[in-house]
Amino acid sequence: MFKRLSPPEATNEAVVTFRFDEQTVTARPGDTVAAALLTSGISICRSTPVSNTPRAPYCMMGVCFECLVEVDGNPNVQACQVEVRDGMHVHTQQGARRLTS
């Protein structure tokens, strides 16, 4: 389990809130989506196309593609490469990567 040394609310720092599936997640400005999810106790961000096995962020630097999510309607987004924004909507990506136009 990932844990912050001190949550943003405890230090009076600015916070960013966004939605992940049906949950509201709080993060610090500059956090990536993957870091915000992990520190909020959310580890599953996608499922595999063949066995539907849950997957979680792994490398945290954009190499492995295990953290694919849908952000504001755009599929195949690497959660470890995108900074959180106030009001963004992130959804678990189910199954195979979809080609975008």
Side-chain angles (χ1 to χ4, degrees):
M1 170 76 76
F2 289 82
K3 183 174 122 179
R4 289 194 183 279
L5 295 177
S6 59
E9 303 84 11
T11 58
N12 293 323
E13 291 182 70
V15 294
V16 174
T17 57
F18 66 99
R19 300 284 296 167
F20 179 73
D21 293 336
E22 301 303 317
Q23 301 181 134
T24 299
V25 178
T26 303
R28 289 186 172 131
D31 281 354
T32 64
V33 171
L37 293 176
L38 290 170
T39 58
S40 295
I42 302 166
S43 60
I44 307 304
C45 61
R46 76 175 186 95
S47 64
T48 60
V50 175
S51 65
N52 206 34
T53 304
R55 306 304 288 174
Y58 181 68
C59 73
M60 298 299 285
M61 61 183 187
V63 175
C64 72
F65 293 87
E66 292 295 332
C67 64
L68 292 179
V69 292
E70 182 178 302
V71 175
D72 294 330
N74 298 311
N76 307 321
V77 176
Q78 289 178 279
C80 69
Q81 298 295 299
V82 174
E83 285 188 16
V84 293
R85 295 185 315 277
D86 237 358
M88 73 189 319
H89 293 273
V90 181
H91 295 280
T92 303
Q93 183 156 310
Q94 303 296 327
R97 294 176 18 181
R98 297 180 301 244
L99 297 176
T100 57
S101 48

